[in-house]
Amino acid sequence: GLTGTNKAYDGNTTATATGTAALSGVETGDDVSLSGKPAFSFAQSTVGTGIATTTTGYALSGADAGNYTLTQPNLSADITAKTLTVSGLTGEDKEYDGTTIATTSGLATLEGVFDTDEVELIGEPVYSFETAATGEAIKITTTGFDITGKDAGNYSLLQPILSADIKGITQRKEEFNVKLYPNPAQELLRIESENAETGKVTIYTNSGNKVLEGYGTKLYVTKLPSGTYLARIESSEGALLKVIKFIKK
């Protein structure tokens, strides 16, 4: 009448069961009943399927109980991975640039790890708006985070979901007359702009993965694999000047 209950990893072997315990094998007419307070324990505390669950605490009572012995029930159940989350990040608003590239601020922090476990957050996250169009509180999806450490196998990681605004263009980018050359490029990219000093230049793949970053009017792209990339060019004050597509030979 008992069934072991699955649980999420919690670092201990405590188990539970569902159903109603019932004695089996008592001869007709004998006065024997089941008593006691059962305790259930997994054979391991780590993640697994069909893990043996032992039982203690059941006893027999009644006038004829001395004629019987009791076998404690042996059950089984699963311990599933505990879900971890990432906190501490905030999606950053941006001016419309025709791409879904998103950025964040803050420090990524892993939440939900038990104090005695060794689990760390790793990876190179990529953030993407779900649309390139202007709007408020647009969903930002994250890929690239992962977990490591000797206890990481007992956990699963939920990638953070953020949001931010894509604002309409407040100043025409043509006024800056931003140029990037040569295009296609093989070794060195040069950036020129009128009426604004060039600041950070960030190179992304078409899928939004940041692959290179530099400052000023020159950027060496020698180590980039051949393909098509997006160069996000900002002013020295951090304002977006232009996003330009270029080809790396």
Side-chain angles (χ1 to χ4, degrees), residues 137-196:
I138 302 171
K139 179 180 176 182
I140 297 174
T141 57
T142 308
T143 59
F145 278 124
D146 202 352
I147 51 176
T148 188
K150 67 181 182 67
D151 299 304
N154 295 313
Y155 296 90
S156 62
L157 180 64
L158 182 65
Q159 301 286 336
I161 298 176
L162 310 169
S163 66
D165 301 343
I166 298 179
K167 302 178 182 297
I169 297 174
T170 56
Q171 186 174 13
R172 290 177 58 82
K173 299 300 178 288
E174 290 79 6
E175 294 178 4
F176 298 118
N177 192 22
V178 180
K179 297 178 181 178
L180 181 148
Y181 64 92
N183 188 4
Q186 189 168 0
E187 295 183 355
L188 178 65
L189 274 179
R190 295 183 182 273
I191 301 98
E192 291 183 358
S193 62
E194 298 177 3
N195 303 319

Side-chain angles (χ1 to χ4, degrees), residues 180-182 185-192 198-204 210-224 229-233 246 248:
L180 181 148
Y181 64 92
Q186 189 168 0
E187 295 183 355
L188 178 65
L189 274 179
R190 295 183 182 273
I191 301 98
E192 291 183 358
T198 304
K200 184 167 69 173
V201 180
T202 309
I203 307 300
Y204 296 90
K210 183 170 74 173
V211 292
L212 187 62
E213 185 176 276
Y215 292 84
T217 59
K218 296 179 181 180
L219 188 64
Y220 285 93
V221 295
T222 310
K223 294 183 179 180
L224 290 180
Y229 296 88
L230 296 171
R232 179 185 171 91
I233 303 166
F246 73 95
K248 167 62 171 60

Side-chain angles (χ1 to χ4, degrees), residues 78-91:
D78 301 343
I79 297 179
T80 59
K82 183 180 189 293
T83 301
L84 302 180
T85 58
V86 178
S87 67
L89 296 174
T90 302

Side-chain angles (χ1 to χ4, degrees), residues 41-63:
S41 298
F42 281 105
Q44 65 187 55
S45 63
T46 53
V47 166
T49 58
I51 303 169
T53 304
T54 57
T55 309
T56 59
Y58 279 122
L60 298 175
S61 61

Side-chain angles (χ1 to χ4, degrees), residues 62-136:
D64 300 305
N67 298 319
Y68 295 87
T69 59
L70 177 66
T71 300
Q72 300 286 334
N74 291 313
L75 309 173
S76 66
D78 301 343
I79 297 179
T80 59
K82 183 180 189 293
T83 301
L84 302 180
T85 58
V86 178
S87 67
L89 296 174
T90 302
E92 291 191 325
D93 297 342
K94 75 170 185 177
E95 194 172 88
Y96 174 79
D97 61 8
T99 76
T100 58
I101 296 168
T103 57
T104 65
S105 59
L107 179 64
T109 304
L110 197 58
E111 298 284 352
V113 178
F114 292 111
D115 291 341
T116 56
D117 283 354
E118 183 183 308
V119 183
E120 295 180 356
L121 185 66
I122 59 171
E124 296 183 0
V126 176
Y127 308 100
S128 301
F129 284 101
E130 66 177 358
T131 177
T134 59
E136 296 182 350

